[in-house]
Amino acid sequence: QVQLVESGGGSVQAGGSLKLSCAASGLTDLRPCMGWFRQAPGKEREGIAAINNAGSTNYVDSVKGRFTISRDNAKGTLYLQMSTLKPEDTAMYYCAAVPLFCRGSWLLERDYYYWGQGTQVTVSS
């Protein structure tokens, strides 16, 4: 059974940093593409970063240069290092996975099969 569990969220002041983790189980043999999404109140969920099994990455423009996605396949863990955080980064953050390869733009919700429950990130000004 596939399970994704996010952790590392919290409250931080603007300009600060946080590192999110997503522990994945039941996926190792599937060599998944994995991504981070976020949903702010009143807004749709958006894809912000994705990484394939080979380590190639893709980011939405709003986080390029500030966020870094990475993965440790041996530990089955996905990470999102967030720096220079802004109030507009406040959202619930979700990790997601799809077996074998990233699809389309890598950042569309519809292309991912498995989802975590989310971890809240709040950035104050």
Side-chain angles (χ1 to χ4, degrees), residues 2 14 22 28 41 45 75 87 99-100 107 111:
V2 174
C22 172
T28 303
R45 188 153 54 182
K75 294 183 178 179
L100 297 180
L107 297 176
D111 292 327

Side-chain angles (χ1 to χ4, degrees), residues 38-116:
R38 66 185 181 187
Q39 186 169 22
K43 295 188 177 181
E44 293 185 352
R45 188 153 54 182
E46 65 166 341
I48 59 171
I51 184 169
N52 67 10
N53 198 57
S56 296
T57 59
N58 194 23
Y59 297 90
V60 71
D61 286 347
S62 60
V63 307
K64 282 181 181 177
R66 300 190 298 123
F67 292 9
T68 301
I69 188 171
S70 61
R71 63 195 288 167
D72 185 330
N73 288 334
K75 294 183 178 179
T77 304
L78 177 71
Y79 303 99
L80 185 69
Q81 177 68 54
M82 304 185 294
S83 302
T84 319
L85 283 161
K86 305 175 181 179
E88 52 262 44
D89 294 318
T90 295
M92 184 71 78
Y93 283 70
Y94 300 89
C95 70
V98 59
L100 297 180
F101 56 88
C102 297
R103 290 152 172 78
S105 70
W106 295 22
L107 297 176
L108 293 181
E109 182 177 358
R110 69 182 185 222
D111 292 327
Y112 286 81
Y113 292 171
Y114 305 108
W115 292 86

Side-chain angles (χ1 to χ4, degrees), residues 12-16 84-87 123-125:
V12 64
Q13 289 192 326
T84 319
L85 283 161
K86 305 175 181 179
V123 184
S124 58
S125 57

